[in-house]
Amino acid sequence: MFSYKKSQLISFFSFRSTRSNIAFHIFVSLSFILRPTSAIPFVIIYPYILYKTSKRLQFLIQAFICFTLLNICNSLLDSYMYNQWTFVPLNFLYINFFHPNSISSHYGINNIFWYITNGLPMIFFYRLPFLFLGAIQEKRLTIIVLFTIFIYTLNVHKEFRFLTQILPILFILEANGINWCLKRFRWNKFRWIFYLSFIGHIFIGIYFSLIDRQGQISVMNYIRNNLPNENQQMLSVDFLMPCHSTPYYSFIHRDDIQLNFLTCEPNLNNRTNDYMDEADKFFLNPIESLKQRLHDINPSHLIMFDTLYDQVKEIFDGDQWFSVKDIIFNSHIQHTSRHGKMIYILEKK
């Protein structure tokens, strides 16, 4: 059954404690401020709680006060920082759903069934049948999941991370499915299979947390710790990688290094339909684009994947150009042609 005792989403709610109710509303409001889409599951949860509680008026007043006050404070802070009146959730809604240039499509277009055919299978893999079995048993939780996925389906761009806010509910459904199988088919003597699966997931978690794509973090450690600046001159590092491949200033904590990277901002200014961001233009013609960046930016260091280095290494043959300073392992698996197994660090001669 869907109740406040079983779902962490409403663990701060109590039908008896006024303080707990306020804490519940505060955390829901804060989650909306941090990411507006977190409100989607609560479109179902709030009416259910309102139906179950005996203090409906008190519940509504507390919800209104908490939501209004926190969002006003957040809007005032944003407006102060942007020097203009700003309400981020409204801008978020406009940019992602109503902008005439379909901004979200800039980052990829997926079919309408993507979350069913790709999203959930990739996350749960062989455990997917248990999820479906649990969904049959827990109809109220299933309604929340289906409603959330339906809203996300309305957007042409879809990602695995969008499902993270309903993962606790999905895990509850999966656990109920496993429990149903154990009771229905008397699988108690096969419990070792689930323990073995748990151990397997630990190793998978260790690999993807500590090994896979660690080069994109290690290269920032290298920049922070291995770029001496004896002459106290501003160093310039140019990241010739897909957008958001690495952290930036928040990681290196040095004010003597200027970081440059290929931008991938969407078409916000009603430009032509054949709009291409800086990163797309660069990878379309990497040799000429790199020559132009070397002239315009004049970096002291270049960071790139081996896939790009193999395409542009002829540029560095002359003594006046760059030499390979270090090569860092990144990943065994490359999910796009622009990523690579190794990361090259080049330094100006």
Side-chain angles (χ1 to χ4, degrees), residues 18-147:
T18 301
R19 177 179 297 180
S20 295
N21 294 347
I22 293 176
F24 168 71
H25 297 309
I26 289 175
F27 278 100
V28 171
S29 300
L30 288 176
S31 67
F32 173 77
I33 290 172
L34 293 175
R35 187 163 185 83
T37 53
S38 65
I40 296 174
F42 291 98
V43 173
I44 302 296
I45 295 173
Y46 259 83
Y48 178 79
I49 298 177
L50 186 63
Y51 169 75
K52 295 293 292 184
T53 184
S54 59
K55 300 180 180 180
R56 294 185 177 88
L57 182 59
Q58 177 179 297
F59 176 84
L60 290 173
I61 292 175
Q62 290 175 351
F64 177 80
I65 292 176
C66 291
F67 184 83
T68 302
L69 289 180
L70 287 174
N71 276 275
I72 287 177
C73 291
N74 180 66
S75 181
L76 290 174
L77 179 61
D78 287 334
S79 299
Y80 172 76
M81 298 303 296
Y82 285 108
N83 290 320
Q84 62 181 0
W85 288 107
T86 303
F87 186 57
V88 171
L90 186 61
N91 293 343
F92 177 89
L93 184 67
Y94 171 73
I95 291 296
N96 285 279
F97 289 94
F98 300 109
H99 194 281
N101 289 340
S102 185
I103 298 304
S104 60
S105 64
H106 176 75
Y107 299 101
I109 298 177
N110 307 97
N111 68 73
I112 192 172
F113 300 109
W114 188 87
Y115 286 112
I116 304 300
T117 60
N118 295 72
L120 292 176
M122 181 63 70
I123 294 174
F124 287 91
F125 195 37
Y126 64 87
R127 297 163 14 237
L128 194 61
F130 297 119
L131 175 64
F132 290 146
L133 289 173
I136 296 174
Q137 306 301 316
E138 296 281 352
K139 293 183 173 58
R140 291 185 176 87
L141 288 177
T142 303
I143 291 174
I144 297 175
V145 171
L146 292 178
F147 177 78

Side-chain angles (χ1 to χ4, degrees), residues 24-272:
F24 168 71
H25 297 309
I26 289 175
F27 278 100
V28 171
S29 300
L30 288 176
S31 67
F32 173 77
I33 290 172
L34 293 175
R35 187 163 185 83
T37 53
S38 65
I40 296 174
F42 291 98
V43 173
I44 302 296
I45 295 173
Y46 259 83
Y48 178 79
I49 298 177
L50 186 63
Y51 169 75
K52 295 293 292 184
T53 184
S54 59
K55 300 180 180 180
R56 294 185 177 88
L57 182 59
Q58 177 179 297
F59 176 84
L60 290 173
I61 292 175
Q62 290 175 351
F64 177 80
I65 292 176
C66 291
F67 184 83
T68 302
L69 289 180
L70 287 174
N71 276 275
I72 287 177
C73 291
N74 180 66
S75 181
L76 290 174
L77 179 61
D78 287 334
S79 299
Y80 172 76
M81 298 303 296
Y82 285 108
N83 290 320
Q84 62 181 0
W85 288 107
T86 303
F87 186 57
V88 171
L90 186 61
N91 293 343
F92 177 89
L93 184 67
Y94 171 73
I95 291 296
N96 285 279
F97 289 94
F98 300 109
H99 194 281
N101 289 340
S102 185
I103 298 304
S104 60
S105 64
H106 176 75
Y107 299 101
I109 298 177
N110 307 97
N111 68 73
I112 192 172
F113 300 109
W114 188 87
Y115 286 112
I116 304 300
T117 60
N118 295 72
L120 292 176
M122 181 63 70
I123 294 174
F124 287 91
F125 195 37
Y126 64 87
R127 297 163 14 237
L128 194 61
F130 297 119
L131 175 64
F132 290 146
L133 289 173
I136 296 174
Q137 306 301 316
E138 296 281 352
K139 293 183 173 58
R140 291 185 176 87
L141 288 177
T142 303
I143 291 174
I144 297 175
V145 171
L146 292 178
F147 177 78
T148 303
I149 292 178
F150 169 74
I151 297 299
Y152 280 143
T153 299
L154 299 179
N155 195 349
V156 295
H157 177 64
K158 302 169 180 65
E159 295 186 28
F160 298 106
R161 63 187 178 93
F162 294 166
L163 297 176
T164 54
Q165 66 181 20
I166 57 174
L167 276 182
I169 299 179
L170 292 173
F171 290 147
I172 291 174
L173 294 177
E174 179 194 359
N176 286 328
I178 294 174
N179 184 59
W180 183 84
C181 288
L182 290 174
K183 292 180 178 179
R184 180 76 172 180
F185 301 106
R186 298 183 180 181
W187 284 3
N188 289 331
K189 60 182 179 180
F190 298 111
R191 285 181 180 272
W192 62 270
I193 297 178
F194 298 107
Y195 294 124
L196 184 63
S197 173
F198 176 74
I199 294 174
H201 278 77
I202 290 178
F203 284 106
I204 293 174
I206 290 174
Y207 173 79
F208 284 104
S209 299
L210 302 179
I211 300 176
D212 185 66
R213 303 189 199 177
Q214 279 306 297
Q216 295 166 228
I217 303 296
S218 299
V219 72
M220 301 307 294
N221 276 319
Y222 183 95
I223 292 173
R224 180 171 61 186
N225 301 319
N226 297 286
L227 295 190
N229 195 357
E230 299 174 355
N231 299 325
Q232 298 300 314
Q233 295 180 348
M234 180 68 72
L235 299 174
S236 177
V237 180
D238 197 9
F239 290 85
L240 304 177
M241 299 170 136
C243 289
H244 317 304
S245 292
T246 65
Y248 289 99
Y249 291 106
S250 61
F251 194 97
I252 63 172
H253 298 289
R254 287 181 58 175
D255 59 3
D256 61 337
I257 299 179
Q258 177 183 352
L259 303 181
N260 305 289
F261 58 93
L262 299 172
T263 61
C264 57
E265 69 274 6
N267 184 6
L268 292 172
N269 298 321
N270 296 321
R271 287 171 261 189
T272 59

